[in-house]
Amino acid sequence: MLLNPDIDNAGVRICSRCIYDERVPSIEFDENGVCNYCRQVDALAELYGTGDAKGLNSFYEILDSIKKNGKGNKYDCIVGVSGGTDSSYLVAMAKEWGLRPLAVHYDNTWNSSIATTNIHKVLSCLNVDLYTHVVANKEADDIFRAFFFSGVAEIEASTDLGYAYLLRQVAAKFSVKYILEGHSFIEEGVTPLGRNYFDGKYIKSIHRQFGKISMETYPLMTFSRFMASALLSQVKFIRPLWYVDYSKERAKRYLQEKFDWRYYGGHHLENRMTAFYHGVYLPVKFKTDMRNNTLSAKVRNGMMSREVAWREYNTPPAVEEELLSYFKKRLAISDEKYLEIIGSRPRNWTEYPTYKKRFERLRPIFHLMAKANLVPMSFYLKYCFPATAPK
């Protein structure tokens, strides 16, 4: 996976603007050597008016709609919180914008203690209520184990999808029509097409084949549940950081000064399963390192040179010393079994049943839904077009 840290002698073709290289799924380069993902970021910034008057005006209109729609309710919006930078900052900003948020946390029981403490520090100071759904730890671990045994990359897909459906469930429970998400394509980049795919059918099929415990506390989002929430409940997903001027570094300083919030050491490290996925599982089994997403974003933003970003990308990721042993012990995987699985042929999501072709067939409908914020625009861009799975 690691190449020559000298970007001029890397041995692969690299985008002339960021550090995505020819190994990235579905990548294309224009006549100037700029990749299609850089152009996608530019297109999104233009569409949403990110950080300029157009974006602010659009977002202020959305704020007015949230406030008007929420009159008479205890809460006018839902904000998912993980204890990380973006979600912590977003819930604080929601209060500053005059909103009445309900914070929602999906607990897969692998949280770091820092993340849990951060959530309570921020919310108690802001006087924001917290709704937490805890998946039974044996059930959560059984799903993680099933994905590990299946040999696919998306070992923590259940967390991402379960979290998304939980937000919809809580919105329906409290009659809230707006969900705010703390994602920034400017700061986090764009995940390449074909990488890290997941949906409810994918999770169910892998768990049926490799799992042992029935899914009772896990909020599985099937296609019918997804469409019912989007079309019948008409819940809207809003990503404020797509409209406003946002800097993760400024957000960290703000949180530290105002709430005594603590940084957890790196992107995605607020959860130990996520840390294992990014720091161990992907690099070792799939020779993939998703740090190029955020590093490329820093290069585009002028916060880091391509040379420095490429050099950092080609150094091993930082990993908690006991993380691997914790993973094996908690999932009851022997050293021998771990080595067998980690050394077996990498498999990808195309080898298991998914809703992907259905999403592609319904692309015109999802385009309209994305424009109406009934599904995230990122869902439309990533799930509704043909994609090349990583090899």
Side-chain angles (χ1 to χ4, degrees), residues 333-350:
I333 299 173
S334 67
D335 291 343
E336 293 76 18
K337 189 64 175 178
Y338 176 82
L339 291 175
E340 176 191 334
I341 298 295
I342 210 75
S344 64
R345 177 182 71 85
R347 303 184 70 179
N348 63 59
W349 54 267
T350 60

Side-chain angles (χ1 to χ4, degrees), residues 69-267:
N69 190 276
K71 282 184 178 180
N73 285 354
K74 185 176 182 180
Y75 312 108
D76 55 19
C77 63
I78 300 293
V79 179
V81 294
S82 66
T85 308
D86 302 331
S87 65
S88 298
Y89 182 78
L90 181 58
V91 73
M93 289 299 100
K95 291 285 286 188
E96 287 203 9
W97 293 324
L99 300 177
R100 292 173 285 109
L102 170 63
V104 175
H105 179 60
Y106 174 89
D107 188 351
N108 66 6
T109 69
W110 285 67
N111 284 343
S112 70
S113 59
I114 292 178
T116 301
T117 302
N118 281 344
I119 291 173
H120 290 287
K121 280 181 178 179
V122 173
L123 298 185
S124 61
C125 185
L126 293 171
N127 195 29
V128 169
D129 293 339
L130 174 65
Y131 183 103
T132 299
H133 177 79
V134 183
V135 180
N137 63 335
K138 290 184 178 180
E139 187 178 327
D141 290 352
D142 186 60
I143 299 172
F144 288 137
R145 188 186 300 108
F147 268 79
F148 182 69
F149 285 176
S150 74
V152 299
E154 295 81 9
I155 190 172
E156 63 156 10
S158 59
T159 297
D160 292 332
L161 194 70
Y163 200 174
Y165 188 47
L166 174 65
L167 293 174
R168 291 183 177 276
Q169 287 180 308
V170 177
K173 178 182 178 70
F174 291 95
S175 301
V176 175
K177 294 298 183 182
Y178 288 87
I179 295 171
L180 307 188
E181 294 186 301
H183 177 269
S184 167
F185 65 85
I186 296 293
E187 285 286 338
E188 298 178 37
V190 178
T191 302
L193 297 171
R195 179 184 288 176
N196 197 30
Y197 178 89
F198 55 85
D199 61 36
K201 188 173 185 179
Y202 184 43
I203 289 172
K204 188 175 181 179
S205 64
I206 285 182
H207 183 259
R208 181 185 290 123
Q209 184 172 345
F210 298 97
K212 296 180 179 179
I213 301 174
S214 62
M215 293 190 290
E216 297 180 359
T217 64
Y218 174 70
L220 179 67
M221 183 158 62
T222 62
F223 184 82
S224 59
R225 290 171 179 172
F226 172 50
M227 296 301 287
S229 174
L231 295 176
L232 300 181
S233 299
Q234 294 279 298
V235 177
K236 295 193 175 186
F237 276 75
I238 306 297
R239 291 180 166 178
L241 307 184
W242 284 34
Y243 297 89
V244 303
D245 180 26
Y246 175 68
S247 161
K248 192 181 288 284
E249 291 304 315
R250 287 202 309 266
K252 287 178 190 173
R253 291 194 297 269
Y254 170 85
L255 293 168
Q256 290 164 349
E257 293 169 4
K258 188 160 185 176
F259 306 108
D260 190 30
W261 178 94
R262 289 178 58 199
Y263 187 48
Y264 33 86
H267 192 39

